[in-house]
């Protein structure tokens, strides 16, 4: 945990997990939401070439982008909390230029998708991905997930229909499980996540400024080159989503145990993680996840933060491309 400027309001909010360990643990997690059936059918139609919506069985509209040759190998990007598919701009443009078909969606309750008050948990997130994949008929795809999106990738790939997935990448991802439990003693205590809920409920807009300005991109580190554009874009994406969905998703990314998912995955998986990740500590995530994968490869980055795909896009894109082509 960063001990820098601990007296400041920002780091009081963002200490321990770089988020809100000092915040009062006054909020409780939302009640369990009913999951949409796995393999649900879709009834949505494209709004325009290159982007559109899929309507899931429970009526949720999932926004997606679909760029590039429809005959090319698809690369599907899964964003982190509380962001949107826009967080992958640097990767979408790069891999489009490399000749891939690039696809990304806004998770339910995030970005341009419906601001749902139900279904904000991993079973339904994975079913929503399956709906997008079926609608676009994606085959032999590479799925890339960051943070919460990495959990979504693990949950989806473990359940995917044969032929749908070729490879997967987990970037600063939450699996196997973030929460401290008897089986995961190195995890973060529930008070950390209760603190995030409290901070979100008290002043979501301010919290969504403090987080990217501090630990998410490592801008709280001495000598960090701060990008106000990244901070503003993070805030913009966060505020596009729904507060209820964001609140529920905290439970989804912190308490879901992906251990069995990781064990089931039989395609090659690249695990990428910044060694100075203040949001998802590497010792209790990537170092454990790669041991559970049948075909896992771990690549770590000294000094890089949680949001390294944005702060160091050129480096991350190069390594992703090498894995895609291997």
């Amino acid at each position: 945990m960063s001990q820098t400027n601990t007296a400041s309001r920002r780091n009081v909010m963002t200490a321990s997990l770089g988020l809100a360990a000092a915040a009062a643990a006054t909020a409780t997690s939302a009640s369990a939401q009913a999951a949409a059936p796995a393999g649900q059918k879709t009834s949505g139609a494209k709004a325009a070439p290159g982007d559109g919506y899929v309507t899931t069985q429970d009526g949720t509209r999932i926004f997606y982008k679909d760029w590039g040759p429809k005959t090319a190998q698809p690369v599907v990007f899964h964003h982190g909390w509380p962001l949107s598919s826009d967080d992958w701009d640097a990767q979408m443009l790069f891999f489009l230029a490399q000749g891939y078909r690039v696809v990304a969606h806004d998770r339910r309750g995030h970005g341009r998708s419906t601001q749902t008050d139900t279904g904000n948990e991993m079973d339904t997130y994975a079913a929503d991905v399956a709906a997008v994949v079926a609608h676009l008929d994606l085959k032999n795809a590479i799925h890339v997930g960051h943070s919460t999106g990495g959990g979504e990738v693990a949950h989806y790939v473990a359940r995917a229909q044969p032929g749908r997935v070729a490879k997967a990448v987990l970037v600063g991802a939450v699996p196997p499980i973030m929460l401290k439990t008897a089986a995961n003693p190195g995890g973060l205590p529930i008070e950390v996540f209760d603190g995030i809920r409290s901070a979100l409920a008290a002043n979501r807009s301010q919290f969504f400024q403090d987080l990217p300005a501090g630990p998410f991109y490592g801008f709280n580190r001495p000598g960090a080159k701060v990008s106000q554009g990244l901070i503003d874009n993070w805030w913009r994406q966060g505020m596009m989503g729904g507060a209820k969905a964001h609140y529920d998703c905290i439970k989804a990314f912190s308490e879901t145990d992906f251990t069995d998912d990781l064990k089931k995955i039989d395609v090659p998986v690249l695990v990428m993680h910044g060694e100075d990740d203040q949001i998802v500590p590497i010792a209790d995530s990537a170092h454990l996840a790669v041991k559970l994968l049948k075909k896992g490869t771990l690549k770590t980055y000294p000094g890089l933060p949680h949001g390294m795909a944005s702060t160091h896009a050129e480096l991350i894109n190069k390594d992703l491309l090498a894995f895609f082509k291997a």
Side-chain angles (χ1 to χ4, degrees):
M1 313 302 169
S2 172
Q3 298 300 318
T4 306
N5 300 325
T6 54
S8 70
R9 181 178 182 275
R10 174 178 299 157
N11 285 343
V12 168
M13 291 180 68
T14 57
S16 180
L17 180 60
L19 294 171
T26 57
T28 58
S29 59
S31 57
Q33 306 295 339
Q40 58 189 319
K41 303 297 182 182
T42 66
S43 57
K46 284 189 176 182
D51 60 55
Y53 287 88
V54 169
T55 301
T56 67
Q57 192 174 57
D58 69 354
T60 299
R61 282 166 53 83
I62 303 295
F63 172 84
Y64 66 85
K65 306 174 187 181
D66 177 16
W67 305 342
K70 301 307 178 264
T71 55
Q73 184 175 27
V75 182
V76 184
F77 295 96
H78 305 245
H79 64 81
W81 177 92
L83 304 173
S84 75
S85 56
D86 293 353
D87 201 44
W88 290 109
D89 284 353
Q91 284 69 44
M92 295 274 285
L93 292 172
F94 177 84
F95 286 102
L96 179 64
Q98 295 293 323
Y100 289 91
R101 178 182 183 179
V102 293
V103 176
H105 72 290
D106 292 355
R107 186 174 301 115
R108 64 170 54 217
H110 297 65
R112 287 140 292 209
S113 294
T114 303
Q115 292 195 9
T116 46
D117 66 337
T118 61
N120 303 308
E121 34 67 33
M122 282 293 164
D123 286 346
T124 307
Y125 294 161
D128 290 346
V129 173
V132 174
V133 166
H135 179 67
L136 299 177
D137 194 24
L138 303 179
K139 298 174 182 176
N140 196 39
I142 302 168
H143 286 261
V144 183
H146 175 238
S147 197
T148 300
E152 181 178 272
V153 165
H155 214 56
Y156 164 72
V157 172
R159 293 159 174 75
Q161 295 175 341
R164 292 292 191 190
V165 180
K167 296 180 179 180
V169 184
L170 307 180
V171 184
V174 298
I177 180 173
M178 292 192 73
L179 184 67
K180 181 178 181 178
T181 65
N184 184 43
L188 292 153
I190 190 67
E191 289 79 12
V192 170
F193 304 106
D194 286 342
I196 302 170
R197 281 182 273 264
S198 295
L200 185 150
N203 191 336
R204 184 169 65 128
S205 181
Q206 185 63 53
F207 186 47
F208 285 2
Q209 291 180 32
D210 292 339
L211 188 53
F216 193 93
Y217 294 119
F219 291 159
N220 57 339
R221 295 306 198 202
K225 183 179 179 181
V226 176
S227 168
Q228 189 62 46
L230 280 181
I231 295 169
D232 292 346
N233 192 40
W234 202 102
W235 178 88
R236 177 191 67 84
Q237 291 179 73
M239 295 307 292
M240 286 171 67
K244 175 62 163 60
H246 287 168
Y247 190 96
D248 291 351
C249 189
I250 296 166
K251 180 180 179 69
F253 74 64
S254 63
E255 297 186 35
T256 304
D257 189 341
F258 300 97
T259 298
D260 288 342
D261 293 329
L262 295 172
K263 290 178 179 179
K264 291 176 184 175
I265 295 172
D266 59 5
V267 298
V269 180
L270 176 62
V271 180
M272 310 171 79
H273 216 101
E275 293 181 11
D276 191 34
D277 191 324
Q278 300 172 69
I279 305 299
V280 181
I282 189 172
D284 199 58
S285 54
H287 287 168
L288 301 181
V290 73
K291 296 177 182 178
L292 296 168
L293 292 163
K294 296 174 183 176
K295 301 176 183 177
T297 300
L298 176 63
K299 187 170 184 60
T300 67
Y301 298 83
L304 293 201
H306 188 61
M308 65 184 183
S310 295
T311 60
H312 295 77
E314 183 176 350
L315 172 60
I316 299 305
N317 291 348
K318 175 177 67 71
D319 289 345
L320 285 171
L321 182 62
F323 176 67
F324 293 176
K325 291 183 174 296

